[in-house]
Amino acid sequence: MTTPILQFGTSRFLQAHADLFVSEAMEADKALGPITIVQTSGDPARAGRIGALSAPEGFPVIIRGLVEGQPVERELRVRSVTRSLSTSSDWVEVRRVFVEEARVVLSNTGDKGYALVEGDSVDGVPQSFPMKLLALLKARYEAGAMPLTILPCELISRNGEVLRDLIVDLASRHVPDATFVSWLSERVIWGNTLVDRIVSEPIEPAGAIAEPYAIWAIERQAGLTLPCEHPCIKLVDDLTPDERLKLHILNLGHTVLADRWLKDSRPGGECVKDILADPAIRSELELIYREEVVPGFRRHGLGDEAEAYVATTLERFLNPYLDHRLCDIAGNHAEKIVRRIIGFKDWCPDVAMPKLSAIAAR
């Protein structure tokens, strides 16, 4: 079967996000078609996941959480993936699918997915994801195939532009063809996206447990092709407000809680819902949102949006079915403080933020 959607990355996040959306859209005849998933890491520990992702019976995604205060729990089957490959063992087939079938490319390659490898090249099987993508785009260009839409889902601001600039720079240094470089920057559609869904646990060998809330915001541009129509996918003229709301409310709240967890040396297995069961900690977070965060957004004309997003975020944090561990959230804590808290203070320099300032000072 032809697969017009090609996905790089086998993460549990994409299983419960894009793969689920496409599966539901296929049932309503509102998707381009099924997905080929490609493992880019070559991690042997995930080898069992490859076959399970494309099993005819699909894989499970369990949705658990609160919707308008009411508990929700349901199990869904994702049947959108019909082929699963690995770049380490199936490179020739990956290249064929990319050249002959793909219309939309998705990626979610982890925190270091855009990292380069010294000595890498477009010849043979490249090592890094960016060089792999460049080699595949070169093969598509040389075959005379139409350009396509690339929708990166990595948590990087302006991710489409970042990935485009990286690939164009690589091409200018590794592929001596000015026409190809122009084709990459002018004909290929590089979409800026924002993804959001807490996916707390994997199900082995494939599947995931996730919260009800989900969004996939994609910035509108001429020539953009979407993988499907779905209620959780929204086209926007500018991603900036959505990025700010997520970074400086949801992500900032996580960092505030992780900071308290680290400072208090609380239990190692504690989750977001557990720490918020402490009335003093919950009140402190609500106070930060009310007196420091929302006023900052209000200065930028986003006060109402921020109040609504805070309410949704607190409901998500209090999800009794989701084990979102603070030890995971606390990873790279200092770096997260810079982006989520100090970045917010810099965005709103005339708003008093005593509690956030104290965290930033630590």
Side-chain angles (χ1 to χ4, degrees):
M1 180 181 294
T2 297
T3 55
I5 304 169
L6 184 59
Q7 173 182 312
F8 291 97
T10 64
S11 68
R12 69 186 191 227
F13 173 80
L14 281 183
Q15 293 173 45
H17 193 265
D19 299 341
L20 175 58
F21 298 168
V22 173
S23 183
E24 292 177 325
M26 286 176 64
E27 294 175 3
D29 198 26
K30 292 185 177 181
L32 290 180
I35 301 169
T36 288
I37 282 186
V38 180
Q39 182 194 43
T40 60
S41 67
D43 183 356
R46 296 185 177 183
R49 182 183 297 178
I50 296 294
L53 286 168
S54 57
E57 66 273 16
F59 57 83
V61 169
I62 299 173
I63 304 296
R64 291 177 179 161
L66 301 175
V67 178
E68 297 181 353
Q70 299 301 310
V72 169
E73 182 167 4
R74 63 185 186 275
E75 180 173 330
L76 307 170
R77 302 297 297 188
V78 176
R79 297 185 175 88
S80 55
V81 182
T82 58
R83 186 192 289 123
S84 46
L85 305 170
S86 171
T87 55
S88 62
S89 58
D90 306 303
W91 180 247
V92 172
E93 179 66 358
V94 170
R95 185 170 56 194
R96 186 198 67 78
V97 174
F98 191 98
V99 170
E100 298 178 7
E101 299 184 11
R103 294 176 59 194
V104 172
V105 172
L106 313 179
S107 70
N108 185 256
T109 54
D111 293 339
K112 298 181 179 179
Y114 293 178
L116 302 175
V117 175
E118 187 175 354
D120 207 1
S121 79
V122 294
D123 300 322
V125 181
Q127 299 178 61
S128 68
F129 169 66
M131 195 66 81
K132 288 182 172 92
L133 182 58
L134 174 60
L136 294 169
L137 285 163
K138 179 174 178 287
R140 187 178 177 98
Y141 168 78
E142 291 173 344
M146 292 293 292
L148 75 177
T149 293
I150 298 177
L151 298 175
C153 298
E154 288 82 11
L155 297 178
I156 297 171
S157 180
R158 314 298 296 172
N159 48 19
E161 295 171 10
V162 170
L163 184 58
R164 178 200 63 200
D165 292 348
L166 176 58
I167 298 301
V168 168
D169 178 66
L170 279 177
S172 66
R173 291 187 285 117
H174 292 270
V175 183
D177 183 339
T179 306
F180 171 57
V181 174
S182 297
W183 182 85
L184 286 174
S185 59
E186 298 171 8
R187 300 292 306 283
V188 175
I189 304 299
W190 303 86
N192 292 311
T193 77
L194 173 75
V195 296
D196 190 5
R197 169 168 256 173
I198 297 172
V199 182
S200 62
E201 298 177 61
I203 298 174
E204 297 298 341
I209 298 173
E211 65 173 337
Y213 180 92
I215 190 172
W216 190 0
I218 301 171
E219 200 167 71
R220 197 187 316 272
Q221 63 173 293
L224 181 77
T225 299
L226 295 179
C228 65
E229 296 178 29
H230 191 276
C232 293
I233 297 177
K234 70 172 187 176
L235 279 174
V236 299
D237 293 325
D238 182 7
L239 274 180
T240 303
D242 293 279
E243 289 180 333
R244 290 287 185 181
L245 289 166
K246 181 188 177 189
L247 181 64
H248 300 315
I249 295 179
L250 177 82
N251 298 147
L252 179 147
H254 276 151
T255 294
V256 167
L257 295 176
D259 190 76
R260 180 61 180 265
W261 179 78
L262 290 167
K263 183 165 68 78
D264 293 353
S265 300
R266 297 173 69 98
E270 194 170 32
C271 299
V272 170
K273 63 184 178 183
D274 303 321
I275 197 170
L276 285 176
D278 184 326
I281 294 177
R282 178 172 174 177
S283 295
E284 182 180 7
L285 178 62
E286 291 175 342
L287 182 67
I288 288 172
Y289 279 147
R290 184 173 62 252
E291 297 190 357
E292 301 186 21
V293 173
V294 171
F297 276 95
R298 200 169 295 285
R299 292 294 178 93
H300 293 275
L302 294 168
D304 292 345
E305 292 86 345
E307 287 184 351
Y309 197 88
V310 165
T312 298
T313 297
L314 288 171
E315 184 172 68
R316 296 170 70 186
F317 284 178
L318 295 169
N319 184 343
Y321 306 101
L322 208 60
D323 292 329
H324 199 187
R325 293 175 179 82
L326 287 158
C327 59
D328 296 331
I329 294 170
N332 300 314
H333 185 58
E335 178 184 332
K336 289 175 180 176
I337 286 176
V338 171
R339 293 190 65 245
R340 300 172 178 185
I341 295 178
I342 296 176
F344 183 62
K345 285 166 50 62
D346 291 344
W347 189 52
C348 311
D350 56 345
V351 177
M353 301 181 189
K355 292 186 178 297
L356 290 177
S357 296
I359 294 172
R362 286 199 292 274

